[in-house]
Amino acid sequence: MKNALILFGGVSSEHDVSVVSARSVIENTPKDKYNLILVGITKDGRWLKYDGYPSRLPEDKWLEDTDNLTKAIVSPDRCDHGILVFGKDGVEKIRIDVAFPVLHGKNGEDGTIQGFLQVAGIPFVGCDMISSACCMDKVMTNTLADAAGIPQAKWLGLKRYDYDKNSEEFLNRAEEYLGFPIFVKPANAGSSVGVSKAVDRASLIAAVEKAFAEDSKLVLEEGIDGMEVECAVLGNDEPIASVCGEIVPCNSFYDYEAKYINPSSELHIPARLPQEKIDEVRAAACNAYKVLGCSGLARVDFFVRHSDGRVMLNEPNTIPGFTSISMYPKMFAASGIPYGELIDRLFTLALEKWER
């Protein structure tokens, strides 16, 4: 039996989603194959080993279970190959065979924790440091997609310094090049945190300020009139794509509320598309996955434009949601890979990649 480390929480605007995802991962991991060791990262950056019930993870109720909390960190020393637990009787070393950073957003999906685990020599689920960072940063993602000829919306990147220096010039350029509506996004945030849809100059200014509260670098994209379609991808050198899922958001776009709060959003698995278009989306997902250097897993999101049926990249997600309602596990379940088997495959892929 292998020791599998589950990292959850994190210093991120997506902390609350992470703990819910982690609970689902923990409850669905085959217990006959993996001995799970849980380490949570609080919103203020404390690392704690948790020995209590996974059901207490949501809403950070696990932090109230003080009898089951012990300070712990991942050791950067490769000879330790695991975590250090600071108990009353001294420091205990626990060897870790494989880790799953169930951490969404900054400090968890952006290459930082991946780089730390690579330094520590611990195999982990998902993309490596470089591909995680490139997929998290929307400016980098869009730049690589353009270089590879992957169709996507017209876009502009923006830094806080440049905007403060000459906001009027940039706003004029954005309106002229992109046209309304314009979607304004922090370059490094997930779950649609800080994302707004601007329909005129006033709402564009407000959207830019809202996004700058999350990141000092933004992406502005033209609005695409199309179906929102997602595809789950699994694998290392020879990735496979799931059936496609279709999102019909309850709001004007698939924002944080539509994803996690309002139950009125519709999810259709499989997507309501002709088979040849579904095949095209799946092929596009695997292509983007390879271009961006992904491994292990990613959910790749697309638009299928209504006017001409063109498949256009929206964005990749290297640590997609793993809650009970999340699309990644649901799409693979519909493809014949149930949740428990999916987790086992992810651990196996991690071991195969990093032990090579």
Side-chain angles (χ1 to χ4, degrees):
M1 185 176 294
K2 296 187 181 299
N3 281 348
L5 172 66
I6 305 294
L7 289 168
F8 64 89
V11 183
S12 164
S13 58
E14 297 177 77
H15 176 102
D16 293 339
V17 179
S18 170
V19 293
V20 178
S21 286
R23 175 186 176 178
S24 293
V25 169
I26 294 162
E27 291 178 344
N28 285 279
T29 298
K31 302 304 188 293
D32 59 332
K33 292 186 176 182
Y34 303 98
N35 173 45
L36 296 186
I37 296 162
L38 316 182
V39 172
I41 304 171
T42 66
K43 291 180 179 179
D44 59 356
R46 291 175 294 134
W47 291 50
L48 300 167
K49 182 173 180 285
Y50 179 55
D51 297 314
Y53 295 107
S55 60
R56 294 185 62 81
L57 264 59
E59 300 177 4
D60 275 349
K61 291 181 180 178
W62 64 285
L63 290 172
E64 301 169 4
D65 197 1
T66 55
D67 290 341
N68 285 307
L69 297 176
T70 313
K71 181 177 175 61
I73 60 169
V74 171
S75 172
D77 189 329
R78 289 195 171 206
C79 293
D80 293 333
H81 205 280
I83 64 171
L84 305 179
V85 183
F86 299 87
K88 295 179 180 178
D89 299 325
V91 180
E92 176 190 7
K93 296 180 182 180
I94 300 178
R95 180 179 175 83
I96 299 298
D97 297 299
V98 63
F100 191 163
V102 190
L103 300 164
H104 307 310
K106 289 183 180 180
N107 304 307
E109 195 174 354
D110 58 1
T112 49
I113 196 71
Q114 287 78 13
F116 188 29
L117 291 169
Q118 284 176 224
V119 168
I122 297 173
F124 59 90
V125 169
C127 298
D128 62 18
M129 181 192 68
I130 294 296
S131 56
S132 295
C134 288
C135 289
M136 182 69 182
D137 188 309
K138 293 176 177 62
V139 171
M140 291 299 300
T141 300
N142 291 1
T143 300
L144 290 169
D146 278 348
I150 296 174
Q152 60 182 342
K154 291 189 294 185
W155 65 281
L156 292 171
L158 176 62
K159 292 184 177 180
R160 175 94 250 187
Y161 174 82
D162 296 324
Y163 183 71
D164 290 342
K165 189 176 180 180
N166 197 335
S167 60
E168 193 71 17
E169 179 182 335
F170 180 82
L171 292 169
N172 289 336
R173 181 184 174 205
E175 290 183 18
E176 180 180 349
Y177 179 59
L178 302 177
F180 289 111
I182 297 172
F183 284 90
V184 182
K185 306 176 180 180
N188 292 277
S191 293
S192 297
V193 173
V195 176
S196 301
K197 179 181 180 180
V199 296
D200 53 29
R201 173 64 69 97
S203 60
L204 178 58
I205 293 171
V208 167
E209 292 300 333
K210 178 181 177 180
F212 272 137
E214 301 294 333
D215 195 6
S216 61
K217 184 165 62 171
L218 312 183
V219 166
L220 282 73
E221 297 176 351
E222 68 168 329
I224 299 296
D225 181 19
M227 179 187 293
E228 294 191 43
V229 178
E230 300 182 347
C231 190
V233 183
L234 175 71
N236 291 333
D237 298 320
E238 298 182 3
I240 61 171
S242 70
V243 300
C244 300
E246 173 191 350
I247 306 294
V248 183
C250 59
N251 296 336
S252 61
F253 68 99
Y254 203 36
D255 60 6
Y256 188 92
E257 180 190 12
K259 288 179 178 179
Y260 301 113
I261 300 172
N262 192 327
S264 300
S265 293
E266 296 179 21
L267 309 177
H268 298 276
I269 304 175
R272 296 172 298 179
L273 287 167
Q275 187 59 49
E276 61 270 19
K277 188 58 63 174
I278 288 175
D279 292 341
E280 183 181 347
V281 171
R282 295 177 70 204
C286 287
N287 179 52
Y289 189 87
K290 291 179 179 180
V291 165
L292 295 168
C294 296
S295 56
L297 79 158
R299 194 193 73 232
V300 190
D301 301 346
F302 295 91
F303 296 110
V304 178
R305 193 160 59 188
H306 290 315
S307 61
D308 57 4
R310 195 177 198 196
V311 175
M312 307 177 73
L313 178 67
N314 180 7
E315 62 180 19
N317 294 268
T318 56
I319 303 289
F322 270 86
T323 71
S324 60
I325 63 170
S326 293
M327 289 291 278
Y328 188 90
K330 287 172 73 73
M331 286 188 286
F332 266 119
S335 304
I337 304 177
Y339 204 137
E341 181 183 339
L342 178 62
I343 299 300
D344 186 30
R345 287 200 189 191
L346 288 171
F347 281 137
T348 300
L349 286 166
L351 290 165
E352 289 177 353
K353 176 178 179 176
W354 294 107
E355 289 182 350
R356 215 161 39 192

